[in-house]
Amino acid sequence: MWTTAILAGAVIGAGLALVLREFLPSTPKLQAAFDRLGAAAADETITADRPGRHAEFGAWIERRIGFAGFMRAPDKDLSVLGLSLHAHLARKGIYAAAVLAAFTIVGVGNLVQGQFSTSIVMVLPLAFGAWLLPDILVRSKATSAREDFRRAIGTYAELVAMEGYAGRHVSEALLTAAGVGRSWVFVRIRQELNRAQLSGQQSWDGLKRLADSITVPELAEIADIMRLAGEQEVTIYATLKARGKALRVAQLTDQKTGANRKSTNMTWPLLLMGGSFLAILITPAVSRLFSM
């Protein structure tokens, strides 16, 4: 028991020492500093993550582990969730390191006591699975986030049309309508519009860039309609309102279809359950009939 405790403490202490060593101030090499400046991801400037030690740990993983840039979630999935690349890599590294340390300590402790443990054999596959787990979670959350974005686009389009009917300019209508909502979708749209305005770009170009970065074609359609209104001075607010209503109707239809599909899928379990109860009820009678 004492040997296992000492060994576990030594492994944990060595791991903490290695982690703390990376965060201690040191004199950076000039070439490494230039490499880090050139390797910064383009979408890190629009991320919702706050810079901290997680981002530093993710940057360290990107520099030291060659395959980290390939075995990760797509950039567009990270963008729709507002996650930076370094924060995502840090999460992957923490998951893998935790599983690796836990199963290694258990396996080594069993070996010291003279018992073979399967955790020694499974430690690398389990750590690799923990490394991939954040990617799976990001893909699932990104799919749900895109659905939320699409549901909000119809409302946003109709709000822009209402602002246009009130006599506002195209850019002003886009920004004012984005300021009405308080959900994360309207916040992302508002941030992108402000960024386009500060950089001297047109508002519809900012919407188009956001739509491409998060793979939401419905937002790109709204941007194209507003481009037509801004460049050719065409009154498109009736078209925009109709498009917003069409998006909402299409989403409602999809939801009804999904609900009907789920209801149909529930029929078979209910039939199976009813058949099981019927079999339980008639089994004694059938047994007595054949035993006579």
Side-chain angles (χ1 to χ4, degrees):
M1 179 65 69
W2 284 106
T3 305
T4 304
I6 293 173
L7 182 60
V11 172
I12 295 174
L16 290 176
L18 291 175
V19 172
L20 291 176
R21 175 179 173 273
E22 296 297 330
F23 295 106
L24 292 177
S26 59
T27 303
K29 295 182 179 179
L30 184 60
Q31 184 60 43
F34 279 116
D35 291 341
R36 287 196 298 271
L37 287 174
D43 61 346
E44 284 187 357
T45 57
I46 61 173
T47 180
D49 289 327
R50 293 175 296 179
R53 293 191 173 182
H54 282 183
E56 295 177 4
F57 183 45
W60 178 84
I61 292 176
E62 186 181 25
R63 294 193 305 269
R64 300 295 178 87
I65 303 178
F67 61 85
F70 300 97
M71 304 181 64
R72 62 178 178 83
D75 291 335
K76 293 185 177 182
D77 288 346
L78 296 176
S79 179
V80 73
L81 296 177
L83 293 174
S84 68
L85 172 61
H86 290 165
H88 178 61
L89 290 178
R91 186 175 291 110
K92 289 165 67 70
I94 291 172
Y95 282 21
V99 172
L100 185 65
F103 281 86
T104 300
I105 291 173
V106 172
V108 172
N110 290 334
L111 288 178
V112 170
Q113 295 178 357
Q115 301 176 358
F116 177 76
S117 176
T118 56
S119 60
I120 293 294
V121 181
M122 297 297 296
V123 60
L124 290 180
L126 289 174
F128 183 70
W131 172 269
L132 297 179
L133 179 60
D135 295 332
I136 299 174
L137 296 177
V138 163
R139 288 186 176 92
S140 176
K141 291 180 180 179
T143 301
S144 178
R146 288 190 180 96
E147 292 298 327
D148 293 340
F149 213 107
R150 292 187 179 97
R151 281 193 290 268
I153 289 300
T155 303
Y156 177 64
E158 293 190 81
L159 288 173
V160 174
M162 292 173 61
E163 295 295 335
Y165 284 133
R168 297 184 185 274
H169 187 263
V170 174
S171 299
E172 188 179 2
L174 288 172
L175 189 57
T176 304
V180 173
R182 293 293 179 268
S183 66
W184 70 271
V185 176
F186 283 84
V187 171
R188 288 292 299 274
I189 294 175
R190 187 163 59 249
Q191 289 175 347
E192 196 62 41
L193 291 174
N194 289 329
R195 187 172 296 107
Q197 186 177 15
L198 292 175
S199 61
Q201 298 178 346
Q202 297 293 345
S203 300
W204 49 82
D205 291 332
L207 289 183
K208 183 71 172 180
R209 181 172 57 251
L210 177 60
D212 293 339
S213 66
I214 63 178
T215 320
V216 179
E218 290 82 359
L219 183 59
E221 294 178 5
I222 302 300
D224 292 335
I225 294 175
M226 300 310 294
R227 181 192 302 275
L228 182 64
E231 293 180 349
Q232 301 184 12
E233 299 183 357
V234 179
T235 304
I236 45 77
Y237 295 110
T239 304
L240 189 62
K241 186 176 181 180
R243 181 55 182 161
K245 183 178 180 180
L247 287 174
R248 291 192 293 104
V249 170
Q251 291 162 5
L252 182 61
T253 302
D254 292 339
Q255 291 176 358
K256 289 182 178 180
T257 302
N260 292 333
R261 187 184 303 110
K262 291 179 181 179
S263 299
T264 303
N265 293 335
M266 286 297 297
T267 303
W268 294 106
L270 292 176
L271 290 176
L272 181 60
M273 186 182 300
S276 301
F277 279 115
L278 183 61
I280 293 173
L281 291 175
I282 67 175
T283 295
V286 174
S287 299
R288 285 197 299 269
L289 180 63
F290 281 100
S291 62
M292 293 178 61

